[in-house]
Amino acid sequence: MDKNDNTNPQLEAYLENQLSPEEKKNFELELAQNPALFLEWEQDRRVYVALKVFRHKDLVKEVQNLATQSRRLTRRQAVGWVSGIAAGLLVLILSVYGFAQTYSNEAIFQRTFSPYPPLYGTLRSQTSDDLPVFIQGIEVYAEKKYEEAASIFRTIPAENIFYEDGLLFLANSLIAQNQYQEAIEVLSKSPRQTPQVSWYKGLALLAAGETDSAQKTFEALIQNPEDDFYQKKSAIVLDDIHSPLRKLVRQ
């Protein structure tokens, strides 16, 4: 990319696949938690593809002139020229295809999903027979012990006042363990399909490869005038789902 532009150096290195695995993981975590950086990445990744294609625009002219020029070349020269063009096209195809991987279901999910925050501080002052198990599950969940947390949240019965919240945290615990189908089933049981429930259900559907159902879920969230937060997040995911570059990626 142009070194004279205002591109974030770390963002540029990420787009050019120059980060180490650990640096890439940390950067993607920051993307998920930093809205400003995420919006910058949203803009720059489109410019990146355009630049990749633009830098190889001369290949088109070379191919167009090949027929007329080849008559004036020896066989050896012609083969060398064609090989050079093929190599350039291969670089273009590989760079665009590699970038297209960021539009796969898995890539969209990985950069979008973050477990629902373990908010429970105000509950400690409440007295309820239903509270202890829920709090126990939340504390384990906050420590990212998702398998243990899921086991605890599964024990909360339907008559418990924390049953609905327990389903949301149970589903997030399952998603964090890549158990997408079970998470979808859990969220479908929720008494109320709140924006939070629909958001995580959409992500689970996307990760499970059920793209059409995921798309419908995010489209419904966009139509919800009462929740601007999930409207914007869903719009970003749908923009990725509708990207033409997804055609280069087998879903």
Side-chain angles (χ1 to χ4, degrees):
M1 297 185 71
D2 187 356
K3 300 298 183 181
N4 296 319
D5 62 21
N6 295 319
T7 302
N8 180 318
Q10 191 176 27
L11 177 56
E12 180 178 357
Y14 177 75
L15 291 172
E16 295 284 2
N17 197 28
Q18 295 175 349
L19 297 178
S20 67
E22 184 65 24
E23 289 173 332
K24 182 178 180 181
K25 178 180 178 181
N26 291 336
F27 183 77
E28 290 176 344
L29 286 174
E30 185 178 358
L31 272 180
Q33 300 170 3
N34 187 333
L37 180 63
F38 185 79
L39 289 176
E40 183 181 359
W41 176 78
E42 280 287 306
Q43 296 170 351
D44 286 359
R45 63 177 179 167
R46 290 171 175 79
V47 176
Y48 178 79
V49 173
L51 288 175
K52 282 289 186 181
V53 175
F54 179 77
R55 286 175 178 175
H56 291 81
K57 67 182 186 304
D58 58 320
L59 292 174
V60 176
K61 293 182 179 179
E62 291 186 22
V63 172
Q64 289 174 340
N65 293 332
L66 179 58
T68 55
Q69 292 292 331
S70 61
R71 294 182 179 179
R72 299 197 295 268
L73 298 174
T74 65
R75 174 182 171 81
R76 189 172 185 178
Q77 289 173 323
V79 170
W81 192 21
V82 171
S83 298
I85 293 175
L89 285 172
L90 180 60
V91 170
L92 173 60
I93 291 169
L94 290 177
S95 61
V96 173
Y97 180 79
F99 190 74
Q101 297 296 322
T102 66
Y103 291 92
S104 68
N105 281 13
E106 180 181 359
I108 296 173
F109 168 80
Q110 290 295 338
R111 65 172 172 267
T112 306
F113 171 71
S114 58
Y116 193 74
L119 305 175
Y120 65 96
T122 57
L123 296 176
R124 288 182 173 277
S125 61
Q126 298 184 16
T127 56
S128 170
D129 293 337
D130 294 333
L131 183 59
V133 175
F134 181 74
I135 285 293
Q136 181 185 0
I138 286 292
E139 290 180 338
V140 174
Y141 177 90
E143 296 175 359
K144 299 183 179 181
K145 298 178 181 178
Y146 296 118
E147 184 176 358
E148 184 179 350
S151 297
I152 295 172
F153 289 126
R154 282 193 181 97
T155 67
I156 299 178
E159 59 272 16
N160 188 299
I161 61 173
F162 295 105
Y163 174 70
E164 185 176 338
D165 292 326
L167 289 179
L168 179 60
F169 285 107
L170 169 57
N172 272 264
S173 299
L174 294 170
I175 294 173
Q177 299 177 77
N178 303 327
Q179 298 177 24
Y180 308 124
Q181 288 295 345
E182 187 177 354
I184 295 168
E185 294 174 6
V186 168
L187 291 169
S188 298
K189 295 178 182 177
S190 181
R192 294 183 304 136
Q193 292 298 302
T194 63
Q196 292 91 337
V197 169
S198 295
W199 169 251
Y200 285 103
K201 185 176 181 179
L203 290 180
L205 286 166
L206 189 68
E210 300 181 32
T211 308
D212 291 342
S213 295
Q215 181 173 322
K216 291 177 181 177
T217 302
F218 293 125
E219 288 172 346
L221 280 168
I222 286 181
Q223 299 303 317
N224 183 354
E226 300 179 358
D227 196 293
D228 180 67
F229 179 72
Y230 287 106
Q231 272 186 336
K232 292 179 178 178
K233 289 169 71 73
S234 296
I236 292 173
V237 173
L238 284 172
D239 186 49
D240 284 347
I241 291 176
H242 294 149
S243 171
L245 286 177
R246 278 174 62 86
K247 295 179 180 179
L248 298 175
V249 182
R250 184 185 298 274
Q251 294 300 327

